[in-house]
Amino acid sequence: MTPPPSPARPLLVATDLDGTLLRSDGSVSPRTRAALAATEAAGIPVVFVTARPPRWLDELADVVGGHGVALCGNGAFTYDVHARVVSEVRPIGAADLHAIIVGVRAAYPSAFFAAERLAGFAHE
């Protein structure tokens, strides 16, 4: 009888933060910390995926043990959690942004806009 194959080792671990990896009080359980450390020790990259802007991730570097990379701002930024730096920015193009603003203003004339930029939060 041939033994069943061993489970395949993951190539990447990706997880949401709020309400998934982080508890409601923003903490990480000891079990989750250990799992992150074991994942890193095994050479498996950890990617955090969040709507949070980069400026809200510095405080998490200690909480998550400095592991991994974050795709944050709904994918607009790549953030190195350990180094605490933004390594890539993917903004909405000016033409697309203009079309969005025109369309929203046409449908909702009293709408106000805000944006998360590398330099921080901006609003009308």
Side-chain angles (χ1 to χ4, degrees):
M1 174 179 252
T2 305
S6 61
R9 182 183 135 165
L11 300 175
L12 173 87
V13 172
T15 181
D16 179 48
L17 290 175
D18 298 301
T20 304
L21 186 85
L22 302 176
R23 297 189 275 197
S24 60
D25 66 356
S27 67
V28 176
S29 72
R31 180 178 179 202
T32 298
R33 282 182 193 270
L36 288 170
T39 301
E40 183 175 343
I44 301 167
V46 177
V47 177
F48 304 114
V49 183
T50 182
R52 287 179 178 223
R55 63 191 169 86
W56 288 6
L57 294 174
D58 280 347
E59 67 189 47
L60 289 179
D62 295 329
V63 173
V64 297
H67 308 283
V69 168
L71 300 178
C72 56
N74 289 320
F77 305 98
T78 301
Y79 182 80
D80 182 322
V81 179
H82 182 70
R84 299 180 186 206
V85 297
V86 172
S87 58
E88 188 175 347
V89 179
R90 290 172 300 284
I92 296 173
D96 291 333
L97 185 58
H98 179 74
I100 292 167
I101 291 170
V102 167
V104 170
R105 287 250 157 108
Y108 304 97
S110 62
F112 288 91
F113 290 89
E116 191 68 47
R117 302 172 301 159
L118 187 56
F121 181 72
H123 61 87
E124 292 184 305

